[in-house]
Amino acid sequence: MTPRTEMTPRTPAKNAPAPTPTPAPARARTRDADAMAVTAFVLGLVGLLVMNIVLGPVAVVLGSLALWRRTSRPGRARLGIALGVADLVALATLVSADHTWSWSLT
């Protein structure tokens, strides 16, 4: 077996430029905003079929937050907002037509 040597930290040379910090929080923030945009789209789409009273507003809020955080998927965030609004319109139509809060086949 070879003996284990300790690594000493290297000191930068006097003329070397200072290392630039990586913008890890910015990447994480963009990744979170992208996830919000996709989640808004999926919840808005599912909300057209079930639980539109809950999923519609959640899709609108998540889509708006994703746009505010400057997502790299603004189209998906806007589509999530539009589907969330469509959920609420479908809910209003159901309530005014059938006086019910859910889909009815009869």
Side-chain angles (χ1 to χ4, degrees):
M1 290 176 63
T2 60
R4 191 172 202 191
T5 59
E6 255 185 66
M7 299 283 294
T8 58
R10 299 178 86 188
T11 57
K14 291 181 182 180
N15 294 335
T20 58
T22 58
R27 283 191 306 233
R29 187 173 178 160
T30 303
R31 210 173 28 230
D32 290 344
D34 291 346
M36 284 183 198
V38 171
T39 305
F41 170 71
V42 171
L43 290 180
L45 196 59
V46 172
L48 288 173
L49 300 175
V50 293
M51 293 181 40
N52 48 3
I53 193 167
V54 175
L55 297 181
V58 171
V60 170
V61 168
L62 283 176
S64 300
L65 280 174
L67 287 175
W68 184 70
R69 290 187 177 190
R70 302 209 187 259
T71 180
S72 62
R73 301 171 186 231
R76 195 152 302 166
R78 287 186 192 108
L79 191 56
I81 293 171
L83 287 171
V85 170
D87 292 347
L88 297 175
V89 169
L91 176 67
T93 304
L94 284 172
V95 169
S96 66
D98 294 341
H99 303 291
T100 183
W101 292 91
S102 63
W103 292 98
S104 176
L105 297 176
T106 58

